[in-house]
Structures are given as structure tokens and as C-alpha cells.
Amino acid sequence: MELLDGKKCAESLVADISGKVAGYVGSGLRKPHMTIILVGKHAPSESYVKSKVASCGRAGFASNLIRLPETITETELLGKISDINNDPGTDGLIVQLPLPSHINQQNVINAITPEKDIDGFHPANFGRMALGQKAFRPATAYGICKLLQFYNIPIKGKHCVVIGRSNIVGKPISIMLSNDFDIGNATVTLTHIETPRPLLLDETRRADIVIVAVGIPGFVSEDMVKEGVVLIDVGINRLEDGRIVGDVDFANVAGKCSWITPVPGGVGRMTVAALMINTLMAYENNFNLV
């Protein structure tokens, strides 16, 4: 069993980005700039935002965090997004999710101009991604692809099972791995909460690669996978005793895996690295550098 070390991969990707940025800045251009909007006080969101800001610094980016009260109206938030959309000094914009219940999340996602949508959630970017066109790819799914690529995990012709059909992870990763991108051409089965248990087991036991993102601690058990499987655990779950665990019963499943992501230290770091890649692309688009 080998670990798919997201920290190691992310550091390598960010170091490469930093080198490119240093060259651009050395030629007289400004730094790439990411703006993050955080609404209210939500402990996990605070942690995620802190990680993004720190990664911006390591990549050589400028960044600013806009904190807004939980009581802000949807109209006021959309107005703030419009201001940033029209700011030529911002290359990428993130509105940290989740949002307070009185704000329609999809309205907010749709309000971000596709050219600054470094999360890759806007319908225009998602659609282009699905068609195999150049676009900002959803960051967590893109991060998984970059992690598999970094460790030279064979994808072409492999049977991949995705557990979970969210717009953030399950749907985009199933499209990316089945599509003809620089990494892809797998045969992908997308399963979800309504997949009957016998069918789910039949699929996962045959899978060469299993990607799970359901938010249930220990959901993937030893009997669900075959020897030599590659297992990508997207789950981040905090237990009552304070431990952070994934959606895989790591202690009992890891021994059957050829490769497996740890939690923490796996996919989470790759999500942030993918945001850095998308921000650099937005910056290069703005200056016609590619």
C-alpha cells in the first residue's frame, strides 16, 4: 500500500506556479490576484479560507479576504460580486460555501462572471468542461485528476466507480475521468444514495479505482473493494472525539489498496492547489499570456 500524498503533490504544483509568477512579475506585470468572500462565521469555512490565503502567498499571488455579516441580504451579496466582476485587478473570485440559508447558493454561483469563476461551478465553465473545451474545472475534481497524474496512476481503460453525485465532486470527476482530457479515458460508473446496495457492491468490487464523496465516516468497508484497488477518499468528517476521518474505513481497507489517500493530507490539499492552477489560468487569460 502506498499513500497518495496530497501535501507533497500540492507543494510541487504550487512551486511550479510560483516560478511562473516570478517570471511574469519580473517582466513588469502585477501579481495574480484572488479575492475570497466569506459570509458569516463558520469554523470549517474559516479553516478552508485560511488555507487558500496561505497557498496564495506560497504561489506568489496577491489575495484579499472580504468578510461579510451573516445577516447580509442576497441582493447585497450579489451587488458585491458585481463590483468584483468589474474589477480588472481581480483575476479569480471565490464565494466560500456554504452560505446562510436565506441566500440562494445557485444564484450566487451564477452571478460570478465565468472568466473569474476559479471554483469552476458556473454553468458556462461546467458545460465547457463536460464538452472537453478549455474551462476552469471544478477544483476538487480537478485536484483529484492532478493527484492521479502526479503519481502516474494508470487511468486509460480502467474501471472507475464514483460514489456520490454532487455537482462539486461526483458529477465533474465522473465526466473528467471518462472524457478524453490529458488524463481520462476510463470507464466510469456513477453511483449515489439511491443505488441499491447489491448493485453498489457489485460495482465497487470490480473497480480498479474507487472515488468516494458521501460525507459518511467509514462508508467504504473492506468487503467493498478488491485487492490492489486505488482509493480516493474525498470525505472530511469530524467525529465527536475531535478526530478528522474520511469516508473510508482506512485502518481496515488500506491493506487491500495499491494506493490510497490519507485524511487529512490527501484530497483537501489538492483542492486548494487546483484553485491556484485556475487562478493562474485566469491571470494568463487576462494578459493574453497563453
Side-chain angles (χ1 to χ4, degrees):
M1 181 272 292
E2 299 283 349
L3 288 179
L4 292 163
D5 188 336
K7 182 175 183 289
K8 179 179 178 181
C9 178
E11 288 176 349
S12 174
L13 292 171
V14 171
D16 288 344
I17 291 170
S18 177
K20 289 183 179 180
V21 170
Y24 292 144
V25 173
S27 69
L29 297 177
R30 64 165 174 81
K31 293 181 177 181
H33 186 200
M34 177 192 296
T35 294
I36 305 169
I37 294 177
L38 179 61
V39 180
K41 296 187 177 182
H42 179 247
S45 292
E46 292 277 359
S47 176
Y48 298 149
V49 166
K50 182 178 179 181
S51 176
K52 291 168 185 175
V53 170
S55 288
C56 282
R58 288 191 291 271
F61 297 175
S63 66
N64 67 304
L65 172 59
I66 299 173
R67 293 180 176 271
L68 300 173
E70 188 157 351
T71 54
I72 192 171
T73 67
E74 182 176 312
T75 299
E76 289 170 331
L77 177 56
L78 294 178
K80 177 61 70 173
I81 291 170
S82 178
D83 291 342
I84 298 169
N85 283 341
N86 293 316
D87 173 18
T90 291
D91 300 295
L93 170 60
I94 296 170
V95 178
Q96 183 65 43
L97 305 178
L99 292 166
S101 58
H102 67 278
I103 296 176
N104 184 298
Q105 182 170 296
Q106 195 60 53
N107 288 344
V108 170
I109 290 170
N110 291 354
I112 299 172
T113 185
E115 290 74 23
K116 296 187 180 185
D117 168 43
I118 53 174
D119 263 327
F121 294 159
H122 191 282
N125 280 317
F126 201 101
R128 291 181 189 131
M129 177 275 296
L131 292 170
Q133 299 175 7
K134 182 180 179 181
F136 299 121
R137 303 181 194 176
T140 298
Y142 193 21
I144 292 169
C145 289
K146 299 304 285 187
L147 183 62
L148 292 169
Q149 194 174 42
F150 182 79
Y151 282 98
N152 297 309
I153 305 298
I155 304 297
K156 184 178 180 180
K158 298 298 183 180
H159 178 209
C160 176
V161 172
V162 179
I163 309 174
R165 59 179 172 188
S166 72
N167 292 336
I168 295 174
V169 183
K171 288 178 185 175
I173 193 62
S174 67
I175 294 168
M176 288 183 199
L177 292 183
S178 63
N179 225 332
D180 185 16
F181 292 118
D182 52 349
I183 182 170
N185 289 298
T187 298
V188 180
T189 302
L190 178 61
T191 67
H192 47 78
I193 194 68
E194 298 297 335
T195 302
R197 181 75 177 177
L199 177 56
L200 176 64
L201 292 176
D202 184 52
E203 292 294 335
T204 58
R205 287 170 178 169
R206 293 188 294 115
D208 302 305
I209 302 168
V210 173
I211 299 171
V212 56
V214 293
I216 302 174
F219 180 83
V220 174
S221 53
E222 182 183 7
D223 66 318
M224 292 178 66
V225 298
K226 70 179 183 181
E227 291 285 344
V229 68
V230 176
L231 221 166
I232 308 293
D233 188 350
V234 186
I236 300 177
N237 309 289
R238 184 179 295 275
L239 303 182
E240 290 183 0
D241 62 8
R243 287 184 298 135
I244 302 295
V245 299
D247 291 347
V248 176
D249 179 7
F250 188 94
N252 292 307
V253 176
K256 296 183 75 172
C257 300
S258 57
W259 295 89
I260 186 171
T261 54
V263 177
V267 174
R269 294 294 296 268
M270 293 307 303
T271 299
V272 178
L275 288 171
M276 301 300 117
I277 295 172
N278 282 346
T279 303
L280 180 64
M281 187 170 92
Y283 171 82
E284 290 175 334
N285 289 343
N286 284 341
F287 287 97
N288 295 314
L289 298 171
V290 288

